Amino acid sequence: MTDTKLEDRWVKEIEPILLGAKVVHLRYQEKEEYWDKRPLEIILSNGAVLFAMMDDEGNDGGAFGLGWVDNARQKTIKAIEKLGGTIPVIR
């Protein structure tokens, strides 16, 4: 499967879950909940929860990158300098 086809497949799977949902709560995972490293959880209005993992296998919590789309150049994402472009994972 080509990268483009794989990307399109995943967008089709994820889009109905994320598009239109609103962020209703933010919290860090509890200390004993899953992993040693506690990522931020983003809870959405439809009950979905986003959280960063260190890898595809879910071996530990991870950090989120944070940025915004530059409207002048749709493909450019600029990091938010105040946060260093990262929402940290907590140990």
Side-chain angles (χ1 to χ4, degrees), residues 6-39:
L6 187 59
E7 290 168 11
D8 290 347
R9 180 178 147 216
W10 276 108
V11 167
K12 271 183 154 175
E13 291 284 330
I14 299 164
E15 204 170 54
I17 298 167
L18 298 182
L19 286 186
K22 294 183 181 186
V23 174
V24 295
H25 188 67
L26 300 173
R27 73 176 188 108
Y28 274 91
Q29 285 182 351
E30 299 294 325
K31 283 195 175 198
E32 307 282 320
E33 200 164 352
Y34 298 108
W35 303 302
D36 293 329
K37 297 175 184 169
R38 300 183 299 125

Side-chain angles (χ1 to χ4, degrees), residues 1-90:
M1 185 177 290
T2 66
D3 285 351
T4 303
K5 286 183 180 180
L6 187 59
E7 290 168 11
D8 290 347
R9 180 178 147 216
W10 276 108
V11 167
K12 271 183 154 175
E13 291 284 330
I14 299 164
E15 204 170 54
I17 298 167
L18 298 182
L19 286 186
K22 294 183 181 186
V23 174
V24 295
H25 188 67
L26 300 173
R27 73 176 188 108
Y28 274 91
Q29 285 182 351
E30 299 294 325
K31 283 195 175 198
E32 307 282 320
E33 200 164 352
Y34 298 108
W35 303 302
D36 293 329
K37 297 175 184 169
R38 300 183 299 125
L40 181 73
E41 291 183 330
I42 302 170
I43 295 93
L44 303 178
S45 56
N46 61 8
V49 181
L50 295 171
F51 51 91
M53 298 186 303
M54 72 179 288
D55 57 35
D56 288 359
E57 296 174 345
N59 286 311
D60 212 336
F64 278 103
L66 181 62
W68 71 93
V69 174
D70 180 344
N71 289 329
R73 287 176 258 150
Q74 287 295 325
K75 297 287 182 183
T76 304
I77 296 182
K78 296 182 176 183
I80 295 176
E81 292 177 17
K82 180 178 178 182
L83 298 174
T86 303
I87 299 172
V89 63
I90 296 176

